[in-house]
Amino acid sequence: MAEPCTIIGVLDNGVNGLTPAALTHLKRADVVIGGTRVLTLFAPLLRADAKTFDLTGKLAQIPAWITQARADRLKVVVLATGDPLCHGVGQYLIAKLGSEACLVLPNISTLQLAFARMGWAWQDARIASVHSKDAGEWSPGSGPEHGLYSLLQDLQHHSLLGIFTSPENTPARIARMLVAQCLEADWRISVVERLLHPDERVLRDLSIADAAQQTFAEPNIVMLRRATAARGPVLFGLADESFEQRKPEKGLITKREVRAVSLARMQLRDDSVVWDIGAGSGAVGLEAARLCPRGHVYAIEKNTDDAAIATRNRERLRVTNTTLLHAKAPQGMEIWPDPDAVFIGGSGGELEELIALCLRRLKPDGWLVMNFVTLENQALALAALKACGAMWDVTMLQAARSQPILDMHRLAAENPVWIISAKKS
């Protein structure tokens, strides 16, 4: 049986950062795979006849190189920066080749070194990486396809983060994202440049605004720490007054009691993909986003004023895992990922088409929840569900809220709402 490929964690202090066991494996290697900078650093230690492969920009080719070398009974070493199993190449290679084909010799993570330089305990830190494909500058409302999206979600739930950067997703770009999301006052940023190089530099507790304008030496590690303690947001049951609304009564908001039942019927999970059709002020979609911190809400609203209000509500509540499309449904929805749940609060006259589309795109066990206040739209929805062969049920909800009358209180009734919940049969 061929020897397993040895994945060695290395640092920029070269041989001084290797254990005797790792050094032995490297000196015996017939094939050495690593990035340009690492191969240059360790070239004096390699056998004269060792074959090298530069993995820069060629990640997908590495498993084939290793497989061929092992088939030829050659000893293979992959040089990976820091700990290969902490946002490194190790997990990728094990997934492709199998754990029996890989021997991992870890090293100190560069993140661990950066925290040591700062003198900060790091057991509570969230480890994040933006070492991904360049997706450009951050724009509010961007979705999970953006390279900074996961980091922004982490910022909502953690007070200390250590971040692996990339030449494109730099400390300055991260800072500009915080500025774009109006979060610059909440955080301080520290950057450790060129660890273990003679020109290593530690930049402590910079303001986000200052960091957004600076250029930092590569490679670097970023640490973000909250400037002030923050309580977690209310996840569910916000008062109607928490949302800006179009006035007067036609202000298009799903009232709190109806919102609560509708969200309950959507059967949300923390990673649910949610569609909010006819978003109005955005109330249902924004609460759904808070309940799904690892998910994303895709909302659509055709009215210009309401779309602007929904955008302001998103900013006001600091919800970052939503995308709002200003269009008439279903225009533009074809590129959305299939949903785990759909809420229809308004249809713009395309109700039958939207119901058929949503049922077709719903994931298994997904729910379509709709709110209606008119008999005609309720009847139209039920007919469409029957035509699609869906399973459905109806809840009629009418709430009454207390109102002062002189020195006493009375109950004032809200409009009744039909909540129709459906799923594929």
Side-chain angles (χ1 to χ4, degrees), residues 145-186:
E145 71 282 353
H146 197 286
L148 298 181
Y149 178 85
S150 294
L151 173 60
L152 183 58
Q153 307 320 309
D154 286 338
L155 290 170
Q156 305 301 310
H157 308 287
H158 301 277
S159 297
L160 178 63
L161 295 95
I163 307 159
F164 295 100
T165 62
S166 72
E168 295 80 23
N169 292 326
T170 62
R173 179 176 283 183
I174 292 170
R176 288 193 291 272
M177 176 183 70
L178 292 171
V179 172
Q181 292 290 156
C182 302
L183 298 173
E184 66 268 28
D186 299 341

mmCIF file of all heavy atoms in Angstrom, residues 145-186:
data_model
loop_
_atom_site.group_PDB
_atom_site.id
_atom_site.type_symbol
_atom_site.label_atom_id
_atom_site.label_comp_id
_atom_site.label_asym_id
_atom_site.label_seq_id
_atom_site.Cartn_x
_atom_site.Cartn_y
_atom_site.Cartn_z
ATOM 1 N N GLU A 145 -23.587 34.558 -1.854
ATOM 2 C CA GLU A 145 -22.564 34.362 -2.874
ATOM 3 C C GLU A 145 -21.376 35.303 -2.687
ATOM 4 O O GLU A 145 -20.308 35.082 -3.266
ATOM 5 C CB GLU A 145 -23.174 34.577 -4.265
ATOM 6 C CG GLU A 145 -23.541 36.017 -4.619
ATOM 7 C CD GLU A 145 -24.846 36.491 -3.983
ATOM 8 O OE1 GLU A 145 -25.560 35.658 -3.365
ATOM 9 O OE2 GLU A 145 -25.153 37.700 -4.087
ATOM 10 N N HIS A 146 -21.523 36.349 -1.884
ATOM 11 C CA HIS A 146 -20.443 37.310 -1.690
ATOM 12 C C HIS A 146 -19.426 36.779 -0.696
ATOM 13 O O HIS A 146 -19.782 36.178 0.319
ATOM 14 C CB HIS A 146 -20.996 38.654 -1.211
ATOM 15 C CG HIS A 146 -20.036 39.788 -1.383
ATOM 16 N ND1 HIS A 146 -18.930 39.968 -0.585
ATOM 17 C CD2 HIS A 146 -20.001 40.794 -2.304
ATOM 18 C CE1 HIS A 146 -18.267 41.039 -0.979
ATOM 19 N NE2 HIS A 146 -18.899 41.559 -2.019
ATOM 20 N N GLY A 147 -18.157 37.025 -0.953
ATOM 21 C CA GLY A 147 -17.084 36.496 -0.119
ATOM 22 C C GLY A 147 -17.048 37.040 1.298
ATOM 23 O O GLY A 147 -16.391 36.455 2.170
ATOM 24 N N LEU A 148 -17.726 38.162 1.555
ATOM 25 C CA LEU A 148 -17.744 38.737 2.900
ATOM 26 C C LEU A 148 -19.027 38.444 3.661
ATOM 27 O O LEU A 148 -19.175 38.841 4.819
ATOM 28 C CB LEU A 148 -17.535 40.256 2.817
ATOM 29 C CG LEU A 148 -16.211 40.737 2.227
ATOM 30 C CD1 LEU A 148 -16.155 42.259 2.244
ATOM 31 C CD2 LEU A 148 -15.017 40.157 2.971
ATOM 32 N N TYR A 149 -19.970 37.761 3.022
ATOM 33 C CA TYR A 149 -21.292 37.559 3.624
ATOM 34 C C TYR A 149 -21.214 36.805 4.954
ATOM 35 O O TYR A 149 -21.803 37.228 5.958
ATOM 36 C CB TYR A 149 -22.179 36.798 2.644
ATOM 37 C CG TYR A 149 -23.564 36.484 3.173
ATOM 38 C CD1 TYR A 149 -24.588 37.414 3.074
ATOM 39 C CD2 TYR A 149 -23.851 35.250 3.762
ATOM 40 C CE1 TYR A 149 -25.862 37.135 3.549
ATOM 41 C CE2 TYR A 149 -25.120 34.967 4.241
ATOM 42 C CZ TYR A 149 -26.123 35.909 4.127
ATOM 43 O OH TYR A 149 -27.366 35.620 4.612
ATOM 44 N N SER A 150 -20.516 35.690 4.989
ATOM 45 C CA SER A 150 -20.452 34.883 6.214
ATOM 46 C C SER A 150 -19.837 35.665 7.365
ATOM 47 O O SER A 150 -20.281 35.552 8.514
ATOM 48 C CB SER A 150 -19.655 33.596 5.970
ATOM 49 O OG SER A 150 -20.329 32.750 5.067
ATOM 50 N N LEU A 151 -18.825 36.471 7.061
ATOM 51 C CA LEU A 151 -18.212 37.290 8.104
ATOM 52 C C LEU A 151 -19.218 38.274 8.679
ATOM 53 O O LEU A 151 -19.300 38.456 9.905
ATOM 54 C CB LEU A 151 -16.998 38.037 7.535
ATOM 55 C CG LEU A 151 -16.353 39.068 8.469
ATOM 56 C CD1 LEU A 151 -15.866 38.413 9.745
ATOM 57 C CD2 LEU A 151 -15.210 39.784 7.748
ATOM 58 N N LEU A 152 -19.996 38.915 7.829
ATOM 59 C CA LEU A 152 -20.992 39.876 8.314
ATOM 60 C C LEU A 152 -22.001 39.201 9.229
ATOM 61 O O LEU A 152 -22.411 39.771 10.250
ATOM 62 C CB LEU A 152 -21.695 40.537 7.133
ATOM 63 C CG LEU A 152 -22.726 41.616 7.493
ATOM 64 C CD1 LEU A 152 -22.092 42.737 8.311
ATOM 65 C CD2 LEU A 152 -23.373 42.161 6.239
ATOM 66 N N GLN A 153 -22.403 37.976 8.906
ATOM 67 C CA GLN A 153 -23.338 37.260 9.787
ATOM 68 C C GLN A 153 -22.676 36.927 11.114
ATOM 69 O O GLN A 153 -23.313 36.994 12.178
ATOM 70 C CB GLN A 153 -23.862 35.989 9.100
ATOM 71 C CG GLN A 153 -24.463 36.191 7.723
ATOM 72 C CD GLN A 153 -25.309 37.446 7.617
ATOM 73 O OE1 GLN A 153 -26.196 37.689 8.423
ATOM 74 N NE2 GLN A 153 -25.040 38.254 6.594
ATOM 75 N N ASP A 154 -21.393 36.555 11.092
ATOM 76 C CA ASP A 154 -20.678 36.273 12.339
ATOM 77 C C ASP A 154 -20.638 37.497 13.255
ATOM 78 O O ASP A 154 -20.693 37.375 14.487
ATOM 79 C CB ASP A 154 -19.247 35.817 12.039
ATOM 80 C CG ASP A 154 -19.172 34.398 11.496
ATOM 81 O OD1 ASP A 154 -20.118 33.625 11.736
ATOM 82 O OD2 ASP A 154 -18.170 34.074 10.833
ATOM 83 N N LEU A 155 -20.541 38.682 12.653
ATOM 84 C CA LEU A 155 -20.476 39.903 13.444
ATOM 85 C C LEU A 155 -21.756 40.141 14.257
ATOM 86 O O LEU A 155 -21.726 40.827 15.275
ATOM 87 C CB LEU A 155 -20.238 41.114 12.533
ATOM 88 C CG LEU A 155 -18.853 41.220 11.890
ATOM 89 C CD1 LEU A 155 -18.835 42.305 10.841
ATOM 90 C CD2 LEU A 155 -17.786 41.483 12.937
ATOM 91 N N GLN A 156 -22.861 39.573 13.799
ATOM 92 C CA GLN A 156 -24.121 39.761 14.505
ATOM 93 C C GLN A 156 -24.184 38.944 15.795
ATOM 94 O O GLN A 156 -25.004 39.243 16.673
ATOM 95 C CB GLN A 156 -25.302 39.348 13.596
ATOM 96 C CG GLN A 156 -25.352 40.053 12.258
ATOM 97 C CD GLN A 156 -25.445 41.556 12.397
ATOM 98 O OE1 GLN A 156 -26.280 42.078 13.124
ATOM 99 N NE2 GLN A 156 -24.570 42.269 11.709
ATOM 100 N N HIS A 157 -23.320 37.937 15.931
ATOM 101 C CA HIS A 157 -23.486 36.967 17.022
ATOM 102 C C HIS A 157 -22.233 36.778 17.879
ATOM 103 O O HIS A 157 -22.252 35.960 18.802
ATOM 104 C CB HIS A 157 -23.906 35.622 16.439
ATOM 105 C CG HIS A 157 -25.094 35.712 15.530
ATOM 106 N ND1 HIS A 157 -26.368 35.929 16.001
ATOM 107 C CD2 HIS A 157 -25.195 35.642 14.181
ATOM 108 C CE1 HIS A 157 -27.210 35.979 14.982
ATOM 109 N NE2 HIS A 157 -26.537 35.815 13.873
ATOM 110 N N HIS A 158 -21.168 37.516 17.589
ATOM 111 C CA HIS A 158 -19.922 37.337 18.333
ATOM 112 C C HIS A 158 -19.315 38.697 18.669
ATOM 113 O O HIS A 158 -19.567 39.693 17.990
ATOM 114 C CB HIS A 158 -18.932 36.496 17.527
ATOM 115 C CG HIS A 158 -19.450 35.136 17.180
ATOM 116 N ND1 HIS A 158 -19.388 34.063 18.046
ATOM 117 C CD2 HIS A 158 -20.067 34.678 16.065
ATOM 118 C CE1 HIS A 158 -19.940 33.008 17.476
ATOM 119 N NE2 HIS A 158 -20.362 33.350 16.270
ATOM 120 N N SER A 159 -18.488 38.711 19.718
ATOM 121 C CA SER A 159 -17.859 39.960 20.157
ATOM 122 C C SER A 159 -16.376 40.013 19.854
ATOM 123 O O SER A 159 -15.764 41.083 19.964
ATOM 124 C CB SER A 159 -18.075 40.141 21.664
ATOM 125 O OG SER A 159 -19.454 40.266 21.956
ATOM 126 N N LEU A 160 -15.781 38.892 19.494
ATOM 127 C CA LEU A 160 -14.357 38.834 19.168
ATOM 128 C C LEU A 160 -14.167 37.869 18.008
ATOM 129 O O LEU A 160 -14.628 36.723 18.072
ATOM 130 C CB LEU A 160 -13.548 38.366 20.386
ATOM 131 C CG LEU A 160 -12.037 38.213 20.209
ATOM 132 C CD1 LEU A 160 -11.385 39.559 19.890
ATOM 133 C CD2 LEU A 160 -11.404 37.600 21.464
ATOM 134 N N LEU A 161 -13.516 38.338 16.957
ATOM 135 C CA LEU A 161 -13.308 37.501 15.778
ATOM 136 C C LEU A 161 -11.859 37.570 15.332
ATOM 137 O O LEU A 161 -11.228 38.635 15.379
ATOM 138 C CB LEU A 161 -14.201 37.954 14.609
ATOM 139 C CG LEU A 161 -15.704 37.822 14.787
ATOM 140 C CD1 LEU A 161 -16.290 39.140 15.292
ATOM 141 C CD2 LEU A 161 -16.382 37.445 13.477
ATOM 142 N N GLY A 162 -11.341 36.425 14.913
ATOM 143 C CA GLY A 162 -10.049 36.356 14.255
ATOM 144 C C GLY A 162 -10.265 35.926 12.816
ATOM 145 O O GLY A 162 -10.966 34.947 12.565
ATOM 146 N N ILE A 163 -9.674 36.649 11.863
ATOM 147 C CA ILE A 163 -10.064 36.498 10.463
ATOM 148 C C ILE A 163 -8.844 36.278 9.576
ATOM 149 O O ILE A 163 -7.902 37.082 9.578
ATOM 150 C CB ILE A 163 -10.829 37.749 9.978
ATOM 151 C CG1 ILE A 163 -11.997 38.054 10.920
ATOM 152 C CG2 ILE A 163 -11.324 37.572 8.550
ATOM 153 C CD1 ILE A 163 -12.477 39.483 10.846
ATOM 154 N N PHE A 164 -8.877 35.192 8.804
ATOM 155 C CA PHE A 164 -7.902 34.981 7.737
ATOM 156 C C PHE A 164 -8.330 35.814 6.529
ATOM 157 O O PHE A 164 -9.457 35.687 6.048
ATOM 158 C CB PHE A 164 -7.842 33.503 7.337
ATOM 159 C CG PHE A 164 -7.344 32.583 8.414
ATOM 160 C CD1 PHE A 164 -8.224 31.839 9.182
ATOM 161 C CD2 PHE A 164 -5.987 32.458 8.653
ATOM 162 C CE1 PHE A 164 -7.769 30.983 10.172
ATOM 163 C CE2 PHE A 164 -5.514 31.605 9.641
ATOM 164 C CZ PHE A 164 -6.402 30.865 10.400
ATOM 165 N N THR A 165 -7.453 36.666 6.047
ATOM 166 C CA THR A 165 -7.771 37.539 4.925
ATOM 167 C C THR A 165 -7.219 36.959 3.629
ATOM 168 O O THR A 165 -6.686 35.851 3.592
ATOM 169 C CB THR A 165 -7.202 38.937 5.151
ATOM 170 O OG1 THR A 165 -5.766 38.850 5.231
ATOM 171 C CG2 THR A 165 -7.747 39.549 6.441
ATOM 172 N N SER A 166 -7.359 37.721 2.557
ATOM 173 C CA SER A 166 -6.800 37.333 1.262
ATOM 174 C C SER A 166 -6.296 38.596 0.576
ATOM 175 O O SER A 166 -6.616 39.716 1.009
ATOM 176 C CB SER A 166 -7.868 36.652 0.395
ATOM 177 O OG SER A 166 -8.822 37.598 -0.057
ATOM 178 N N PRO A 167 -5.530 38.477 -0.499
ATOM 179 C CA PRO A 167 -5.052 39.688 -1.188
ATOM 180 C C PRO A 167 -6.184 40.586 -1.683
ATOM 181 O O PRO A 167 -5.994 41.797 -1.822
ATOM 182 C CB PRO A 167 -4.243 39.116 -2.364
ATOM 183 C CG PRO A 167 -3.780 37.781 -1.892
ATOM 184 C CD PRO A 167 -4.912 37.247 -1.064
ATOM 185 N N GLU A 168 -7.362 39.982 -1.964
ATOM 186 C CA GLU A 168 -8.500 40.786 -2.427
ATOM 187 C C GLU A 168 -9.363 41.260 -1.256
ATOM 188 O O GLU A 168 -9.725 42.438 -1.176
ATOM 189 C CB GLU A 168 -9.365 39.985 -3.402
ATOM 190 C CG GLU A 168 -8.679 39.614 -4.702
ATOM 191 C CD GLU A 168 -7.767 38.396 -4.546
ATOM 192 O OE1 GLU A 168 -7.997 37.600 -3.609
ATOM 193 O OE2 GLU A 168 -6.817 38.257 -5.345
ATOM 194 N N ASN A 169 -9.708 40.344 -0.373
ATOM 195 C CA ASN A 169 -10.539 40.687 0.786
ATOM 196 C C ASN A 169 -9.630 41.129 1.925
ATOM 197 O O ASN A 169 -9.314 40.374 2.841
ATOM 198 C CB ASN A 169 -11.414 39.493 1.173
ATOM 199 C CG ASN A 169 -12.458 39.193 0.126
ATOM 200 O OD1 ASN A 169 -12.980 40.091 -0.522
ATOM 201 N ND2 ASN A 169 -12.766 37.927 -0.066
ATOM 202 N N THR A 170 -9.233 42.375 1.851
ATOM 203 C CA THR A 170 -8.216 42.951 2.719
ATOM 204 C C THR A 170 -8.826 43.499 4.007
ATOM 205 O O THR A 170 -10.046 43.648 4.130
ATOM 206 C CB THR A 170 -7.527 44.107 1.985
ATOM 207 O OG1 THR A 170 -8.512 45.117 1.708
ATOM 208 C CG2 THR A 170 -6.907 43.635 0.670
ATOM 209 N N PRO A 171 -7.984 43.858 4.978
ATOM 210 C CA PRO A 171 -8.514 44.531 6.169
ATOM 211 C C PRO A 171 -9.291 45.801 5.830
ATOM 212 O O PRO A 171 -10.320 46.085 6.444
ATOM 213 C CB PRO A 171 -7.255 44.839 6.979
ATOM 214 C CG PRO A 171 -6.263 43.803 6.559
ATOM 215 C CD PRO A 171 -6.543 43.557 5.104
ATOM 216 N N ALA A 172 -8.808 46.553 4.849
ATOM 217 C CA ALA A 172 -9.500 47.789 4.468
ATOM 218 C C ALA A 172 -10.876 47.495 3.876
ATOM 219 O O ALA A 172 -11.853 48.209 4.151
ATOM 220 C CB ALA A 172 -8.653 48.572 3.465
ATOM 221 N N ARG A 173 -10.982 46.439 3.066
ATOM 222 C CA ARG A 173 -12.286 46.086 2.489
ATOM 223 C C ARG A 173 -13.256 45.625 3.583
ATOM 224 O O ARG A 173 -14.445 45.953 3.542
ATOM 225 C CB ARG A 173 -12.127 45.002 1.427
ATOM 226 C CG ARG A 173 -13.449 44.571 0.819
ATOM 227 C CD ARG A 173 -13.273 43.553 -0.296
ATOM 228 N NE ARG A 173 -12.833 44.182 -1.539
ATOM 229 C CZ ARG A 173 -12.660 43.518 -2.687
ATOM 230 N NH1 ARG A 173 -12.863 42.201 -2.730
ATOM 231 N NH2 ARG A 173 -12.269 44.150 -3.765
ATOM 232 N N ILE A 174 -12.750 44.874 4.555
ATOM 233 C CA ILE A 174 -13.594 44.473 5.688
ATOM 234 C C ILE A 174 -14.094 45.706 6.428
ATOM 235 O O ILE A 174 -15.270 45.802 6.786
ATOM 236 C CB ILE A 174 -12.802 43.546 6.631
ATOM 237 C CG1 ILE A 174 -12.514 42.204 5.941
ATOM 238 C CG2 ILE A 174 -13.558 43.327 7.940
ATOM 239 C CD1 ILE A 174 -11.547 41.324 6.703
ATOM 240 N N ALA A 175 -13.204 46.669 6.660
ATOM 241 C CA ALA A 175 -13.598 47.894 7.347
ATOM 242 C C ALA A 175 -14.643 48.661 6.538
ATOM 243 O O ALA A 175 -15.597 49.207 7.097
ATOM 244 C CB ALA A 175 -12.368 48.766 7.605
ATOM 245 N N ARG A 176 -14.480 48.703 5.225
ATOM 246 C CA ARG A 176 -15.458 49.420 4.395
ATOM 247 C C ARG A 176 -16.828 48.740 4.436
ATOM 248 O O ARG A 176 -17.862 49.406 4.327
ATOM 249 C CB ARG A 176 -14.940 49.540 2.957
ATOM 250 C CG ARG A 176 -13.783 50.530 2.819
ATOM 251 C CD ARG A 176 -13.498 50.855 1.367
ATOM 252 N NE ARG A 176 -12.949 49.748 0.629
ATOM 253 C CZ ARG A 176 -11.655 49.448 0.534
ATOM 254 N NH1 ARG A 176 -10.750 50.194 1.186
ATOM 255 N NH2 ARG A 176 -11.235 48.426 -0.183
ATOM 256 N N MET A 177 -16.847 47.420 4.584
ATOM 257 C CA MET A 177 -18.124 46.727 4.741
ATOM 258 C C MET A 177 -18.816 47.183 6.026
ATOM 259 O O MET A 177 -20.036 47.427 6.038
ATOM 260 C CB MET A 177 -17.914 45.211 4.767
ATOM 261 C CG MET A 177 -19.203 44.427 5.021
ATOM 262 S SD MET A 177 -18.967 42.640 5.136
ATOM 263 C CE MET A 177 -18.091 42.520 6.697
ATOM 264 N N LEU A 178 -18.067 47.309 7.106
ATOM 265 C CA LEU A 178 -18.652 47.757 8.361
ATOM 266 C C LEU A 178 -19.190 49.179 8.241
ATOM 267 O O LEU A 178 -20.248 49.500 8.796
ATOM 268 C CB LEU A 178 -17.607 47.674 9.474
ATOM 269 C CG LEU A 178 -17.177 46.267 9.882
ATOM 270 C CD1 LEU A 178 -15.997 46.323 10.823
ATOM 271 C CD2 LEU A 178 -18.314 45.529 10.536
ATOM 272 N N VAL A 179 -18.473 50.018 7.509
ATOM 273 C CA VAL A 179 -18.953 51.383 7.281
ATOM 274 C C VAL A 179 -20.255 51.358 6.488
ATOM 275 O O VAL A 179 -21.226 52.048 6.824
ATOM 276 C CB VAL A 179 -17.886 52.220 6.558
ATOM 277 C CG1 VAL A 179 -18.456 53.568 6.145
ATOM 278 C CG2 VAL A 179 -16.660 52.420 7.444
ATOM 279 N N ALA A 180 -20.302 50.518 5.433
ATOM 280 C CA ALA A 180 -21.497 50.433 4.587
ATOM 281 C C ALA A 180 -22.704 49.950 5.374
ATOM 282 O O ALA A 180 -23.837 50.317 5.066
ATOM 283 C CB ALA A 180 -21.233 49.516 3.394
ATOM 284 N N GLN A 181 -22.473 49.118 6.395
ATOM 285 C CA GLN A 181 -23.566 48.578 7.208
ATOM 286 C C GLN A 181 -23.837 49.416 8.460
ATOM 287 O O GLN A 181 -24.602 48.988 9.332
ATOM 288 C CB GLN A 181 -23.244 47.134 7.618
ATOM 289 C CG GLN A 181 -23.242 46.148 6.476
ATOM 290 C CD GLN A 181 -24.611 45.863 5.907
ATOM 291 O OE1 GLN A 181 -24.750 45.461 4.761
ATOM 292 N NE2 GLN A 181 -25.659 46.060 6.708
ATOM 293 N N CYS A 182 -23.188 50.591 8.556
ATOM 294 C CA CYS A 182 -23.373 51.491 9.706
ATOM 295 C C CYS A 182 -22.967 50.827 11.019
ATOM 296 O O CYS A 182 -23.588 51.054 12.073
ATOM 297 C CB CYS A 182 -24.818 51.983 9.778
ATOM 298 S SG CYS A 182 -25.372 52.863 8.294
ATOM 299 N N LEU A 183 -21.933 50.001 10.971
ATOM 300 C CA LEU A 183 -21.461 49.292 12.159
ATOM 301 C C LEU A 183 -20.103 49.803 12.646
ATOM 302 O O LEU A 183 -19.519 49.230 13.566
ATOM 303 C CB LEU A 183 -21.342 47.789 11.871
ATOM 304 C CG LEU A 183 -22.629 47.049 11.505
ATOM 305 C CD1 LEU A 183 -22.317 45.617 11.076
ATOM 306 C CD2 LEU A 183 -23.605 47.054 12.674
ATOM 307 N N GLU A 184 -19.605 50.886 12.042
ATOM 308 C CA GLU A 184 -18.230 51.294 12.337
ATOM 309 C C GLU A 184 -18.035 51.720 13.789
ATOM 310 O O GLU A 184 -16.935 51.548 14.344
ATOM 311 C CB GLU A 184 -17.774 52.414 11.395
ATOM 312 C CG GLU A 184 -18.507 53.736 11.544
ATOM 313 C CD GLU A 184 -19.705 53.850 10.624
ATOM 314 O OE1 GLU A 184 -20.303 52.811 10.275
ATOM 315 O OE2 GLU A 184 -20.038 54.982 10.241
ATOM 316 N N ALA A 185 -19.081 52.243 14.431
ATOM 317 C CA ALA A 185 -18.923 52.679 15.828
ATOM 318 C C ALA A 185 -18.907 51.502 16.801
ATOM 319 O O ALA A 185 -18.490 51.668 17.957
ATOM 320 C CB ALA A 185 -20.050 53.650 16.195
ATOM 321 N N ASP A 186 -19.331 50.343 16.357
ATOM 322 C CA ASP A 186 -19.474 49.188 17.251
ATOM 323 C C ASP A 186 -18.198 48.367 17.380
ATOM 324 O O ASP A 186 -18.113 47.515 18.279
ATOM 325 C CB ASP A 186 -20.592 48.266 16.753
ATOM 326 C CG ASP A 186 -21.937 48.949 16.721
ATOM 327 O OD1 ASP A 186 -22.096 49.986 17.400
ATOM 328 O OD2 ASP A 186 -22.843 48.466 16.021
#
